[in-house]
Amino acid sequence: MTDEPLVLGIETSCDETGIGVVRGTTLLADAVASSMAEHAKFGGVVPEVASRAHLEAMAGTMRQALDTAGVRLSDVDAVAVTAGPGLAGALLVGVAAAKAYALAAGKPLYGVNHLSAHVAVDTLEHGPLPEPAIAMLVSGGHSSLLMVEDLAGRVEPLGATIDDAAGEAFDKVARLLGLPFPGGPPIDRAARDGDPVSIDFPRGLTGPRDLVRHRFDFSFSGLKTAVARWVEARERTGEPVPVADVAASFQEAVCDVLSRKAIDACRTRGVDTLLVGGGVAANSRLRAMVTERAAAYGITVRIPRPKLCTDNGAMVAALGSHLVAAAVPPSTLDIPADSALPVTTVSLADRL
Amino acid sequence: MLVLGVDTATAAVTAVLAEVDADGVRELASAVTVDGRAHGERLAPSVAEVLTRAGRTVGELSAVVAGTGPGPFTGLRVGLVTATAMAQALGVPTYGVCSLDALGAAAGPGRVLVATDARRREVYWARYVDGVRTDGPAVAKPADVHVDAERAVGDGAGKYAEVLGVRIVPEPRYPVGAVLVGLAAERILAGAPGEVLEPRYLRRPDVTPAAPAATRPAAAGTPR
Ligand SMILES: [Zn+2]
């Protein structure tokens, strides 16, 4: 269907320089250059290192995306870019690049919200998103529950983490256990050989009183501290730390809270579609637990494949394509990169 | 040949459109916004504006020239990524020019110190004799700059005039767009191969990881 919009998406909100090309909801290219290896030795993403890497990677990643998609810049209908939220300096490289590509190619520009892009990417795998839907976005930087009334413009925040992001908890616990950064994949692997009910770690913000004020919010810092105390106690007695059991029990606690709250949100709002995205959505236990629990309530779960869950340009292109199809007006060339862009701003189109 | 020049190495966001031929460089239009925090917002509209004012289209461009700094990193990158992306989209070459040279070459004859504001109480500096760079660029505390000049130009020179102890000439204060393009004119006219625009950071990055912040979506960590 060549009458569907051909859209280029640029993502630079953190450490991945991502450029994707989609036509409608068909993924044509998903080129990603990551500076993660440069950050690993610091135990977290260093903003200036990430920003420098985005500049270095931009033209090459663009070349790769266009070549893979077999299109020229002059063929695209629009250029979409993550305008926020994210790391300010990193975002700015992508926004400036997107403006330049749009200006040079004479194409409309769409400055879009990174979180909505995490939702939109699922359309590339599972087709148009039924609306309304509940979206749970969990990553190294976000842990949010969103009510998506209309992916083209009406997204309401239901809850978010009040301290650490879910992925951050994975990183910190991995460090405690001597596992490499980033911590998600090694914990997932270690947990396969462990007993998830061997240690009863706390489930943050799930007590009766928490549910009044923080029903859809998350907290993972208490869990991280509990894991640290447990490991320290073990080390004091000179006993070996059962890495697999700690990993499995920690992961079980995170996934329990996430899936419980996501399904509670669906039931409370009477929504029967739950979308899970962000890097933590690649976690095998989370995928299994959410799917199983949702089935009990007749809720349909949509989780994109792991490569699409992490930050990439395809998700930005997917949202851009949705906005073009919905006839949302484009952004002007003077839009800012907004590191604190609110969830409710799906695109910077109508704001200026 | 129609050439676009951009420089974002200082608080000035500069876009210039110039005609370059064997007779020299003729400025057709330029836009300068002095706002150290608006590089990302101002540059693209300024490029569009100079094209409109000159009655030309982006497709007529034959080359893009960019000031490669030194300059505060975040703003500097805006100019470089803009030039890189536009040139890539248009299939034209990019040429880099040291941003301080676009002050030094504009400052006239004699021995001149160029100093721009590097923030953190430092300056980016270089020395020129008759418009040609003889030392630098480097970054230093104003008190540590070996001045050795008859006069100084640039916003850094103005800001630290007392420390530098040299006569300050108020203009040029920022890199001059048409001069920037002129410094690449030889390469443009010779059809020299384009260059990858390498920023002159002159400082290593601070390696403090992004502070964990619940409200920020993409901070330290993984998976994302
Ligand atoms: Zn993300």
Side-chain angles (χ1 to χ4, degrees):
Chain A
M1 293 217 284
T2 51
D3 55 342
E4 289 181 305
L6 181 69
V7 177
L8 185 91
I10 300 178
E11 154 64 33
T12 64
S13 70
C14 193
D15 63 303
E16 259 106 22
T17 312
I19 300 188
V21 182
V22 309
R23 188 184 292 284
T25 56
T26 305
L27 178 62
L28 301 182
D30 181 16
V32 177
S34 176
S35 59
M36 181 50 80
E38 293 172 61
H39 306 288
K41 59 177 177 282
F42 305 112
V45 172
V46 180
E48 175 62 20
V49 171
S51 300
R52 290 184 180 195
H54 287 312
L55 173 60
E56 283 165 32
M58 185 57 66
T61 310
M62 175 61 76
R63 179 80 276 139
Q64 195 191 330
L66 293 173
D67 286 352
T68 303
V71 300
R72 287 165 305 178
L73 203 53
S74 54
D75 298 330
V76 308
D77 295 304
V79 177
V81 62
T82 299
L87 301 171
L91 286 167
L92 190 54
V93 177
V95 169
K99 289 177 180 181
Y101 286 122
L103 176 60
K107 306 297 179 182
L109 172 77
Y110 285 83
V112 306
N113 189 300
H114 180 84
L115 296 182
S116 287
H118 269 304
V119 177
V121 74
D122 187 64
T123 62
L124 302 180
E125 188 153 353
H126 299 118
L129 183 73
E131 289 162 341
I134 295 289
M136 177 167 69
L137 303 179
V138 275
S139 74
H142 15 259
S143 301
S144 296
L145 271 173
L146 311 175
M147 173 78 170
V148 183
E149 300 258 14
D150 174 0
L151 186 52
R154 279 174 62 212
V155 176
E156 173 200 347
L158 299 179
T161 182
I162 61 168
D163 41 56
D164 294 351
E168 231 177 299
F170 274 87
D171 290 338
K172 288 174 176 173
V173 168
R175 198 189 310 192
L176 283 170
L177 295 176
L179 299 172
F181 173 88
I187 285 189
D188 198 345
R189 269 192 302 277
R192 276 173 217 160
D193 303 319
D195 178 0
V197 296
S198 58
I199 310 160
D200 189 19
F201 285 130
R203 270 65 169 159
L205 298 184
T206 56
R209 255 187 307 173
D210 296 327
L211 289 180
V212 178
R213 276 191 58 213
H214 291 292
R215 183 164 187 163
F216 301 123
D217 290 330
F218 303 105
S219 165
F220 296 105
S221 104
L223 169 60
K224 171 203 70 192
T225 308
V227 175
R229 288 218 188 95
W230 195 92
V231 170
E232 281 162 23
R234 256 309 165 99
E235 282 168 344
R236 263 201 303 279
T237 64
E239 288 174 86
V241 176
V243 170
D245 285 346
V246 175
S249 300
F250 158 77
Q251 180 174 276
E252 195 71 4
V254 173
C255 297
D256 182 22
V257 174
L258 291 175
S259 55
R260 227 194 277 181
K261 294 209 173 205
I263 285 159
D264 184 26
C266 290
R267 298 187 62 209
T268 308
R269 291 302 187 103
V271 172
D272 57 12
T273 302
L274 171 62
L275 182 141
V276 186
V280 177
N283 182 275
S284 63
R285 183 63 184 134
L286 181 63
R287 298 172 88 96
M289 198 189 278
V290 167
T291 306
E292 188 191 316
R293 290 182 176 180
Y297 296 103
I299 296 164
T300 305
V301 177
R302 294 166 57 125
I303 312 179
R305 59 182 177 271
K307 172 82 159 61
L308 294 180
C309 284
T310 49
D311 290 350
N312 57 65
M315 66 193 225
V316 181
L319 179 54
S321 166
H322 187 78
L323 295 173
V324 171
V328 170
S331 309
T332 49
L333 283 179
D334 59 356
I335 55 166
D338 184 349
S339 60
L341 188 68
V343 167
T344 47
T345 305
V346 174
S347 80
L348 294 185
D350 37 27
R351 206 171 74 160
L352 293 157
Chain B
M1 298 164 89
L2 191 68
V3 177
L4 172 70
V6 297
D7 190 280
T8 55
T10 65
V13 183
T14 299
V16 63
L17 196 65
E19 193 69 58
V20 178
D21 55 33
D23 298 333
V25 175
R26 188 163 56 92
E27 177 180 310
L28 302 180
S30 80
V32 180
T33 311
V34 179
D35 183 343
R37 306 195 65 82
H39 295 82
E41 285 150 57
R42 282 313 314 155
L43 186 59
S46 294
V47 170
E49 181 193 324
V50 294
L51 285 162
T52 305
R53 286 216 316 258
R56 309 294 287 263
T57 62
V58 72
E60 295 174 66
L61 289 173
S62 298
V64 181
V65 178
T68 55
F73 313 151
T74 304
L76 176 61
R77 276 189 287 266
V78 169
L80 297 186
V81 82
T82 299
T84 300
M86 285 198 66
Q88 182 180 23
L90 298 169
V92 302
T94 50
Y95 300 102
V97 171
C98 172
S99 297
L100 302 187
D101 291 359
L103 278 148
R111 291 179 302 121
V112 174
L113 174 77
V114 170
T116 59
D117 188 359
R119 303 192 186 150
R120 304 184 194 179
R121 300 181 178 189
E122 292 188 320
V123 290
Y124 296 112
W125 67 271
R127 273 202 305 274
Y128 295 80
V129 174
D130 298 336
V132 176
R133 176 151 44 95
T134 55
D135 201 3
V139 63
K141 290 191 170 42
D144 296 339
V145 174
H146 181 50
V147 176
D148 189 25
E150 298 153 8
R151 59 189 194 280
V153 298
D155 66 336
K159 186 169 177 180
Y160 297 105
E162 282 177 31
V163 186
L164 293 170
V166 62
R167 184 165 66 92
I168 307 297
V169 180
E171 294 294 332
R173 194 171 158 77
Y174 301 109
V176 179
V179 173
L180 185 90
V181 171
L183 290 166
E186 221 170 280
R187 284 174 280 170
I188 294 167
L189 291 169
E195 304 149 8
V196 173
L197 299 172
E198 301 277 4
R200 296 168 192 258
Y201 290 122
L202 304 191
R203 280 177 182 148
R204 291 175 186 282
D206 288 333
V207 293
T208 315
T215 50
R216 206 190 38 232
T222 277
R224 241 159 318 279

